[in-house]
Amino acid sequence: MTSDAVSAPAEPTQGELEAYYADNTTSFQAPEYRAVTFIALSIDAFAAGIALQDVDVEAVYDRTKYRLSPPSRRNVINIVLGDQEEAETVAAAIRSGETPQAAAEAAGTEASSLGWQTRGEMLPALADAAFSLSAGEVSDPVDSPLGTHVLVIEEAEDQVIPSLSEVRDQIQLALARSLAVDRLIEAANALDDDLAGGLTLAEAAAKQNLELGSVDAIERSGLNQAGSVVLERPSSNRFLETVCQSPVVERSMWVESDDSVYFV
């Protein structure tokens, strides 16, 4: 079927037009535009201005280097026996080539897989034994409140501590951002004091040597009257919501955006 075979619809009546308009009023409304002046404080911007000493970076590395990589762990088979003699017999059998399950069954018990374990996930006595062994090794009898154990290490992964040079950038960024939070709070408090003292946003920004942002016209979706994106940062819905919901000619409270930017 071609378009020529379809008859044109009849012209709508006045009543039909009015009914359609009443059902779709919002489609014919122009958006509300607002002019806004703001100060945005960015943790990243403050962090970029912080000069760190090597001694500070090295101190953080020394405190945290064991948390910068996955801990050592062991994939463990555990056999619980009644006494030291039974445990020695089972350990010798496994070292001679018997499977842990066969050696355990010969002693009237079973071999249980504990799966991958870190040191902190095991009883201290068992952890000391397990982490002294490499993959494929069998422990001597180990006593615990649960009985006498023989441990078989199926697999082993030892922690690899990264060198300072490998993680220097990561530590510098984290340390700078931590210090930047304090500086941002200080700047926000100083601005609040100036504004409470009667300064305008522009005057307070100038006094604190901060950049003052402004937009002549912006609507809820972040576009101007030409349909162009108005600003890239603060790039969050929180900023647009605050602009559109705040009373006209009033200052908002400090608001945190989605990208660690605080604005007023």
mmCIF file with all atom_site columns, all heavy atoms in Angstrom, residues 213-236:
data_model
loop_
_atom_site.group_PDB
_atom_site.id
_atom_site.type_symbol
_atom_site.label_atom_id
_atom_site.label_alt_id
_atom_site.label_comp_id
_atom_site.label_asym_id
_atom_site.label_entity_id
_atom_site.label_seq_id
_atom_site.pdbx_PDB_ins_code
_atom_site.Cartn_x
_atom_site.Cartn_y
_atom_site.Cartn_z
_atom_site.occupancy
_atom_site.B_iso_or_equiv
_atom_site.pdbx_formal_charge
_atom_site.auth_seq_id
_atom_site.auth_comp_id
_atom_site.auth_asym_id
_atom_site.auth_atom_id
_atom_site.pdbx_PDB_model_num
ATOM 1   N N   . GLY A 1 213 ? 31.080 32.235 39.437 1.00 0.00 ? 213 GLY A N   1
ATOM 2   C CA  . GLY A 1 213 ? 30.449 31.787 38.208 1.00 0.00 ? 213 GLY A CA  1
ATOM 3   C C   . GLY A 1 213 ? 29.090 32.436 38.027 1.00 0.00 ? 213 GLY A C   1
ATOM 4   O O   . GLY A 1 213 ? 28.435 32.806 38.999 1.00 0.00 ? 213 GLY A O   1
ATOM 5   N N   . SER A 1 214 ? 28.674 32.581 36.781 1.00 0.00 ? 214 SER A N   1
ATOM 6   C CA  . SER A 1 214 ? 27.350 33.150 36.528 1.00 0.00 ? 214 SER A CA  1
ATOM 7   C C   . SER A 1 214 ? 26.811 32.624 35.205 1.00 0.00 ? 214 SER A C   1
ATOM 8   O O   . SER A 1 214 ? 27.573 32.297 34.299 1.00 0.00 ? 214 SER A O   1
ATOM 9   C CB  . SER A 1 214 ? 27.396 34.683 36.489 1.00 0.00 ? 214 SER A CB  1
ATOM 10  O OG  . SER A 1 214 ? 28.201 35.128 35.416 1.00 0.00 ? 214 SER A OG  1
ATOM 11  N N   . VAL A 1 215 ? 25.490 32.531 35.148 1.00 0.00 ? 215 VAL A N   1
ATOM 12  C CA  . VAL A 1 215 ? 24.792 32.090 33.942 1.00 0.00 ? 215 VAL A CA  1
ATOM 13  C C   . VAL A 1 215 ? 23.619 33.038 33.729 1.00 0.00 ? 215 VAL A C   1
ATOM 14  O O   . VAL A 1 215 ? 22.851 33.304 34.654 1.00 0.00 ? 215 VAL A O   1
ATOM 15  C CB  . VAL A 1 215 ? 24.284 30.644 34.086 1.00 0.00 ? 215 VAL A CB  1
ATOM 16  C CG1 . VAL A 1 215 ? 23.482 30.233 32.863 1.00 0.00 ? 215 VAL A CG1 1
ATOM 17  C CG2 . VAL A 1 215 ? 25.441 29.686 34.303 1.00 0.00 ? 215 VAL A CG2 1
ATOM 18  N N   . ASP A 1 216 ? 23.487 33.575 32.531 1.00 0.00 ? 216 ASP A N   1
ATOM 19  C CA  . ASP A 1 216 ? 22.426 34.539 32.245 1.00 0.00 ? 216 ASP A CA  1
ATOM 20  C C   . ASP A 1 216 ? 21.053 33.894 32.168 1.00 0.00 ? 216 ASP A C   1
ATOM 21  O O   . ASP A 1 216 ? 20.052 34.493 32.570 1.00 0.00 ? 216 ASP A O   1
ATOM 22  C CB  . ASP A 1 216 ? 22.711 35.281 30.936 1.00 0.00 ? 216 ASP A CB  1
ATOM 23  C CG  . ASP A 1 216 ? 23.920 36.200 31.053 1.00 0.00 ? 216 ASP A CG  1
ATOM 24  O OD1 . ASP A 1 216 ? 24.210 36.642 32.188 1.00 0.00 ? 216 ASP A OD1 1
ATOM 25  O OD2 . ASP A 1 216 ? 24.578 36.451 30.035 1.00 0.00 ? 216 ASP A OD2 1
ATOM 26  N N   . ALA A 1 217 ? 20.995 32.652 31.647 1.00 0.00 ? 217 ALA A N   1
ATOM 27  C CA  . ALA A 1 217 ? 19.702 31.973 31.512 1.00 0.00 ? 217 ALA A CA  1
ATOM 28  C C   . ALA A 1 217 ? 19.941 30.478 31.466 1.00 0.00 ? 217 ALA A C   1
ATOM 29  O O   . ALA A 1 217 ? 20.711 29.988 30.642 1.00 0.00 ? 217 ALA A O   1
ATOM 30  C CB  . ALA A 1 217 ? 18.970 32.433 30.252 1.00 0.00 ? 217 ALA A CB  1
ATOM 31  N N   . ILE A 1 218 ? 19.254 29.770 32.352 1.00 0.00 ? 218 ILE A N   1
ATOM 32  C CA  . ILE A 1 218 ? 19.374 28.323 32.392 1.00 0.00 ? 218 ILE A CA  1
ATOM 33  C C   . ILE A 1 218 ? 18.044 27.732 32.820 1.00 0.00 ? 218 ILE A C   1
ATOM 34  O O   . ILE A 1 218 ? 17.341 28.311 33.659 1.00 0.00 ? 218 ILE A O   1
ATOM 35  C CB  . ILE A 1 218 ? 20.498 27.891 33.367 1.00 0.00 ? 218 ILE A CB  1
ATOM 36  C CG1 . ILE A 1 218 ? 20.772 26.386 33.269 1.00 0.00 ? 218 ILE A CG1 1
ATOM 37  C CG2 . ILE A 1 218 ? 20.178 28.283 34.797 1.00 0.00 ? 218 ILE A CG2 1
ATOM 38  C CD1 . ILE A 1 218 ? 21.991 25.946 34.048 1.00 0.00 ? 218 ILE A CD1 1
ATOM 39  N N   . GLU A 1 219 ? 17.665 26.613 32.211 1.00 0.00 ? 219 GLU A N   1
ATOM 40  C CA  . GLU A 1 219 ? 16.428 25.947 32.621 1.00 0.00 ? 219 GLU A CA  1
ATOM 41  C C   . GLU A 1 219 ? 16.743 24.588 33.205 1.00 0.00 ? 219 GLU A C   1
ATOM 42  O O   . GLU A 1 219 ? 17.894 24.183 33.285 1.00 0.00 ? 219 GLU A O   1
ATOM 43  C CB  . GLU A 1 219 ? 15.446 25.857 31.439 1.00 0.00 ? 219 GLU A CB  1
ATOM 44  C CG  . GLU A 1 219 ? 16.007 25.305 30.156 1.00 0.00 ? 219 GLU A CG  1
ATOM 45  C CD  . GLU A 1 219 ? 15.597 23.865 29.938 1.00 0.00 ? 219 GLU A CD  1
ATOM 46  O OE1 . GLU A 1 219 ? 15.034 23.260 30.872 1.00 0.00 ? 219 GLU A OE1 1
ATOM 47  O OE2 . GLU A 1 219 ? 15.860 23.342 28.844 1.00 0.00 ? 219 GLU A OE2 1
ATOM 48  N N   . ARG A 1 220 ? 15.700 23.891 33.645 1.00 0.00 ? 220 ARG A N   1
ATOM 49  C CA  . ARG A 1 220 ? 15.868 22.698 34.476 1.00 0.00 ? 220 ARG A CA  1
ATOM 50  C C   . ARG A 1 220 ? 16.748 21.625 33.840 1.00 0.00 ? 220 ARG A C   1
ATOM 51  O O   . ARG A 1 220 ? 17.432 20.886 34.531 1.00 0.00 ? 220 ARG A O   1
ATOM 52  C CB  . ARG A 1 220 ? 14.491 22.120 34.808 1.00 0.00 ? 220 ARG A CB  1
ATOM 53  C CG  . ARG A 1 220 ? 14.505 20.964 35.782 1.00 0.00 ? 220 ARG A CG  1
ATOM 54  C CD  . ARG A 1 220 ? 13.119 20.535 36.152 1.00 0.00 ? 220 ARG A CD  1
ATOM 55  N NE  . ARG A 1 220 ? 12.423 21.579 36.879 1.00 0.00 ? 220 ARG A NE  1
ATOM 56  C CZ  . ARG A 1 220 ? 12.526 21.763 38.192 1.00 0.00 ? 220 ARG A CZ  1
ATOM 57  N NH1 . ARG A 1 220 ? 13.290 20.964 38.905 1.00 0.00 ? 220 ARG A NH1 1
ATOM 58  N NH2 . ARG A 1 220 ? 11.861 22.733 38.788 1.00 0.00 ? 220 ARG A NH2 1
ATOM 59  N N   . SER A 1 221 ? 16.739 21.529 32.521 1.00 0.00 ? 221 SER A N   1
ATOM 60  C CA  . SER A 1 221 ? 17.529 20.497 31.855 1.00 0.00 ? 221 SER A CA  1
ATOM 61  C C   . SER A 1 221 ? 18.973 20.923 31.621 1.00 0.00 ? 221 SER A C   1
ATOM 62  O O   . SER A 1 221 ? 19.771 20.151 31.083 1.00 0.00 ? 221 SER A O   1
ATOM 63  C CB  . SER A 1 221 ? 16.889 20.119 30.520 1.00 0.00 ? 221 SER A CB  1
ATOM 64  O OG  . SER A 1 221 ? 16.909 21.217 29.633 1.00 0.00 ? 221 SER A OG  1
ATOM 65  N N   . GLY A 1 222 ? 19.323 22.167 32.005 1.00 0.00 ? 222 GLY A N   1
ATOM 66  C CA  . GLY A 1 222 ? 20.690 22.640 31.853 1.00 0.00 ? 222 GLY A CA  1
ATOM 67  C C   . GLY A 1 222 ? 20.978 23.349 30.551 1.00 0.00 ? 222 GLY A C   1
ATOM 68  O O   . GLY A 1 222 ? 22.141 23.621 30.242 1.00 0.00 ? 222 GLY A O   1
ATOM 69  N N   . LEU A 1 223 ? 19.934 23.680 29.788 1.00 0.00 ? 223 LEU A N   1
ATOM 70  C CA  . LEU A 1 223 ? 20.115 24.353 28.509 1.00 0.00 ? 223 LEU A CA  1
ATOM 71  C C   . LEU A 1 223 ? 19.786 25.837 28.629 1.00 0.00 ? 223 LEU A C   1
ATOM 72  O O   . LEU A 1 223 ? 19.026 26.255 29.509 1.00 0.00 ? 223 LEU A O   1
ATOM 73  C CB  . LEU A 1 223 ? 19.226 23.714 27.441 1.00 0.00 ? 223 LEU A CB  1
ATOM 74  C CG  . LEU A 1 223 ? 19.381 22.205 27.231 1.00 0.00 ? 223 LEU A CG  1
ATOM 75  C CD1 . LEU A 1 223 ? 18.394 21.727 26.172 1.00 0.00 ? 223 LEU A CD1 1
ATOM 76  C CD2 . LEU A 1 223 ? 20.806 21.847 26.850 1.00 0.00 ? 223 LEU A CD2 1
ATOM 77  N N   . ASN A 1 224 ? 20.337 26.629 27.717 1.00 0.00 ? 224 ASN A N   1
ATOM 78  C CA  . ASN A 1 224 ? 19.960 28.035 27.658 1.00 0.00 ? 224 ASN A CA  1
ATOM 79  C C   . ASN A 1 224 ? 18.851 28.210 26.634 1.00 0.00 ? 224 ASN A C   1
ATOM 80  O O   . ASN A 1 224 ? 18.332 27.241 26.075 1.00 0.00 ? 224 ASN A O   1
ATOM 81  C CB  . ASN A 1 224 ? 21.171 28.916 27.341 1.00 0.00 ? 224 ASN A CB  1
ATOM 82  C CG  . ASN A 1 224 ? 21.781 28.591 25.984 1.00 0.00 ? 224 ASN A CG  1
ATOM 83  O OD1 . ASN A 1 224 ? 21.171 27.918 25.145 1.00 0.00 ? 224 ASN A OD1 1
ATOM 84  N ND2 . ASN A 1 224 ? 23.002 29.059 25.760 1.00 0.00 ? 224 ASN A ND2 1
ATOM 85  N N   . GLN A 1 225 ? 18.478 29.473 26.355 1.00 0.00 ? 225 GLN A N   1
ATOM 86  C CA  . GLN A 1 225 ? 17.348 29.717 25.457 1.00 0.00 ? 225 GLN A CA  1
ATOM 87  C C   . GLN A 1 225 ? 17.634 29.321 24.019 1.00 0.00 ? 225 GLN A C   1
ATOM 88  O O   . GLN A 1 225 ? 16.708 29.137 23.225 1.00 0.00 ? 225 GLN A O   1
ATOM 89  C CB  . GLN A 1 225 ? 16.961 31.197 25.525 1.00 0.00 ? 225 GLN A CB  1
ATOM 90  C CG  . GLN A 1 225 ? 16.322 31.543 26.876 1.00 0.00 ? 225 GLN A CG  1
ATOM 91  C CD  . GLN A 1 225 ? 16.252 33.033 27.119 1.00 0.00 ? 225 GLN A CD  1
ATOM 92  O OE1 . GLN A 1 225 ? 17.206 33.752 26.851 1.00 0.00 ? 225 GLN A OE1 1
ATOM 93  N NE2 . GLN A 1 225 ? 15.123 33.495 27.637 1.00 0.00 ? 225 GLN A NE2 1
ATOM 94  N N   . ALA A 1 226 ? 18.918 29.141 23.694 1.00 0.00 ? 226 ALA A N   1
ATOM 95  C CA  . ALA A 1 226 ? 19.282 28.696 22.341 1.00 0.00 ? 226 ALA A CA  1
ATOM 96  C C   . ALA A 1 226 ? 19.338 27.175 22.252 1.00 0.00 ? 226 ALA A C   1
ATOM 97  O O   . ALA A 1 226 ? 19.619 26.625 21.188 1.00 0.00 ? 226 ALA A O   1
ATOM 98  C CB  . ALA A 1 226 ? 20.628 29.289 21.940 1.00 0.00 ? 226 ALA A CB  1
ATOM 99  N N   . GLY A 1 227 ? 19.086 26.501 23.387 1.00 0.00 ? 227 GLY A N   1
ATOM 100 C CA  . GLY A 1 227 ? 19.122 25.043 23.390 1.00 0.00 ? 227 GLY A CA  1
ATOM 101 C C   . GLY A 1 227 ? 20.502 24.462 23.556 1.00 0.00 ? 227 GLY A C   1
ATOM 102 O O   . GLY A 1 227 ? 20.707 23.270 23.335 1.00 0.00 ? 227 GLY A O   1
ATOM 103 N N   . SER A 1 228 ? 21.479 25.292 23.961 1.00 0.00 ? 228 SER A N   1
ATOM 104 C CA  . SER A 1 228 ? 22.851 24.825 24.151 1.00 0.00 ? 228 SER A CA  1
ATOM 105 C C   . SER A 1 228 ? 23.107 24.500 25.616 1.00 0.00 ? 228 SER A C   1
ATOM 106 O O   . SER A 1 228 ? 22.488 25.087 26.522 1.00 0.00 ? 228 SER A O   1
ATOM 107 C CB  . SER A 1 228 ? 23.850 25.892 23.688 1.00 0.00 ? 228 SER A CB  1
ATOM 108 O OG  . SER A 1 228 ? 23.621 26.224 22.329 1.00 0.00 ? 228 SER A OG  1
ATOM 109 N N   . VAL A 1 229 ? 24.036 23.571 25.852 1.00 0.00 ? 229 VAL A N   1
ATOM 110 C CA  . VAL A 1 229 ? 24.432 23.251 27.230 1.00 0.00 ? 229 VAL A CA  1
ATOM 111 C C   . VAL A 1 229 ? 25.119 24.467 27.821 1.00 0.00 ? 229 VAL A C   1
ATOM 112 O O   . VAL A 1 229 ? 26.038 25.033 27.225 1.00 0.00 ? 229 VAL A O   1
ATOM 113 C CB  . VAL A 1 229 ? 25.378 22.027 27.256 1.00 0.00 ? 229 VAL A CB  1
ATOM 114 C CG1 . VAL A 1 229 ? 25.863 21.767 28.678 1.00 0.00 ? 229 VAL A CG1 1
ATOM 115 C CG2 . VAL A 1 229 ? 24.668 20.802 26.708 1.00 0.00 ? 229 VAL A CG2 1
ATOM 116 N N   . VAL A 1 230 ? 24.688 24.874 29.005 1.00 0.00 ? 230 VAL A N   1
ATOM 117 C CA  . VAL A 1 230 ? 25.157 26.135 29.572 1.00 0.00 ? 230 VAL A CA  1
ATOM 118 C C   . VAL A 1 230 ? 26.527 25.995 30.216 1.00 0.00 ? 230 VAL A C   1
ATOM 119 O O   . VAL A 1 230 ? 27.425 26.784 29.970 1.00 0.00 ? 230 VAL A O   1
ATOM 120 C CB  . VAL A 1 230 ? 24.140 26.667 30.597 1.00 0.00 ? 230 VAL A CB  1
ATOM 121 C CG1 . VAL A 1 230 ? 24.668 27.914 31.278 1.00 0.00 ? 230 VAL A CG1 1
ATOM 122 C CG2 . VAL A 1 230 ? 22.824 26.958 29.902 1.00 0.00 ? 230 VAL A CG2 1
ATOM 123 N N   . LEU A 1 231 ? 26.704 24.984 31.066 1.00 0.00 ? 231 LEU A N   1
ATOM 124 C CA  . LEU A 1 231 ? 27.974 24.853 31.771 1.00 0.00 ? 231 LEU A CA  1
ATOM 125 C C   . LEU A 1 231 ? 28.251 23.387 32.034 1.00 0.00 ? 231 LEU A C   1
ATOM 126 O O   . LEU A 1 231 ? 27.352 22.570 32.137 1.00 0.00 ? 231 LEU A O   1
ATOM 127 C CB  . LEU A 1 231 ? 27.966 25.638 33.084 1.00 0.00 ? 231 LEU A CB  1
ATOM 128 C CG  . LEU A 1 231 ? 27.193 25.065 34.284 1.00 0.00 ? 231 LEU A CG  1
ATOM 129 C CD1 . LEU A 1 231 ? 27.593 25.812 35.539 1.00 0.00 ? 231 LEU A CD1 1
ATOM 130 C CD2 . LEU A 1 231 ? 25.682 25.185 34.081 1.00 0.00 ? 231 LEU A CD2 1
ATOM 131 N N   . GLU A 1 232 ? 29.536 23.074 32.124 1.00 0.00 ? 232 GLU A N   1
ATOM 132 C CA  . GLU A 1 232 ? 29.954 21.692 32.334 1.00 0.00 ? 232 GLU A CA  1
ATOM 133 C C   . GLU A 1 232 ? 30.098 21.360 33.813 1.00 0.00 ? 232 GLU A C   1
ATOM 134 O O   . GLU A 1 232 ? 29.992 20.222 34.217 1.00 0.00 ? 232 GLU A O   1
ATOM 135 C CB  . GLU A 1 232 ? 31.298 21.445 31.622 1.00 0.00 ? 232 GLU A CB  1
ATOM 136 C CG  . GLU A 1 232 ? 31.234 21.624 30.111 1.00 0.00 ? 232 GLU A CG  1
ATOM 137 C CD  . GLU A 1 232 ? 30.324 20.619 29.443 1.00 0.00 ? 232 GLU A CD  1
ATOM 138 O OE1 . GLU A 1 232 ? 30.138 19.532 29.997 1.00 0.00 ? 232 GLU A OE1 1
ATOM 139 O OE2 . GLU A 1 232 ? 29.791 20.943 28.364 1.00 0.00 ? 232 GLU A OE2 1
ATOM 140 N N   . ARG A 1 233 ? 30.371 22.340 34.642 1.00 0.00 ? 233 ARG A N   1
ATOM 141 C CA  . ARG A 1 233 ? 30.635 22.077 36.053 1.00 0.00 ? 233 ARG A CA  1
ATOM 142 C C   . ARG A 1 233 ? 30.119 23.229 36.884 1.00 0.00 ? 233 ARG A C   1
ATOM 143 O O   . ARG A 1 233 ? 30.316 24.382 36.499 1.00 0.00 ? 233 ARG A O   1
ATOM 144 C CB  . ARG A 1 233 ? 32.154 21.914 36.257 1.00 0.00 ? 233 ARG A CB  1
ATOM 145 C CG  . ARG A 1 233 ? 32.548 21.293 37.577 1.00 0.00 ? 233 ARG A CG  1
ATOM 146 C CD  . ARG A 1 233 ? 34.071 21.213 37.640 1.00 0.00 ? 233 ARG A CD  1
ATOM 147 N NE  . ARG A 1 233 ? 34.487 20.591 38.875 1.00 0.00 ? 233 ARG A NE  1
ATOM 148 C CZ  . ARG A 1 233 ? 34.935 19.351 38.959 1.00 0.00 ? 233 ARG A CZ  1
ATOM 149 N NH1 . ARG A 1 233 ? 35.033 18.627 37.887 1.00 0.00 ? 233 ARG A NH1 1
ATOM 150 N NH2 . ARG A 1 233 ? 35.309 18.846 40.109 1.00 0.00 ? 233 ARG A NH2 1
ATOM 151 N N   . PRO A 1 234 ? 29.470 22.983 38.004 1.00 0.00 ? 234 PRO A N   1
ATOM 152 C CA  . PRO A 1 234 ? 29.175 21.681 38.596 1.00 0.00 ? 234 PRO A CA  1
ATOM 153 C C   . PRO A 1 234 ? 28.212 20.873 37.730 1.00 0.00 ? 234 PRO A C   1
ATOM 154 O O   . PRO A 1 234 ? 27.130 21.353 37.407 1.00 0.00 ? 234 PRO A O   1
ATOM 155 C CB  . PRO A 1 234 ? 28.519 22.019 39.927 1.00 0.00 ? 234 PRO A CB  1
ATOM 156 C CG  . PRO A 1 234 ? 28.829 23.448 40.184 1.00 0.00 ? 234 PRO A CG  1
ATOM 157 C CD  . PRO A 1 234 ? 28.963 24.082 38.832 1.00 0.00 ? 234 PRO A CD  1
ATOM 158 N N   . SER A 1 235 ? 28.654 19.689 37.299 1.00 0.00 ? 235 SER A N   1
ATOM 159 C CA  . SER A 1 235 ? 27.887 18.898 36.334 1.00 0.00 ? 235 SER A CA  1
ATOM 160 C C   . SER A 1 235 ? 27.024 17.888 37.058 1.00 0.00 ? 235 SER A C   1
ATOM 161 O O   . SER A 1 235 ? 27.339 16.713 37.081 1.00 0.00 ? 235 SER A O   1
ATOM 162 C CB  . SER A 1 235 ? 28.857 18.200 35.387 1.00 0.00 ? 235 SER A CB  1
ATOM 163 O OG  . SER A 1 235 ? 29.784 17.430 36.120 1.00 0.00 ? 235 SER A OG  1
ATOM 164 N N   . SER A 1 236 ? 25.960 18.359 37.686 1.00 0.00 ? 236 SER A N   1
ATOM 165 C CA  . SER A 1 236 ? 25.102 17.399 38.376 1.00 0.00 ? 236 SER A CA  1
ATOM 166 C C   . SER A 1 236 ? 23.681 17.913 38.437 1.00 0.00 ? 236 SER A C   1
ATOM 167 O O   . SER A 1 236 ? 23.418 19.114 38.333 1.00 0.00 ? 236 SER A O   1
ATOM 168 C CB  . SER A 1 236 ? 25.618 17.149 39.792 1.00 0.00 ? 236 SER A CB  1
ATOM 169 O OG  . SER A 1 236 ? 25.204 18.179 40.655 1.00 0.00 ? 236 SER A OG  1
#
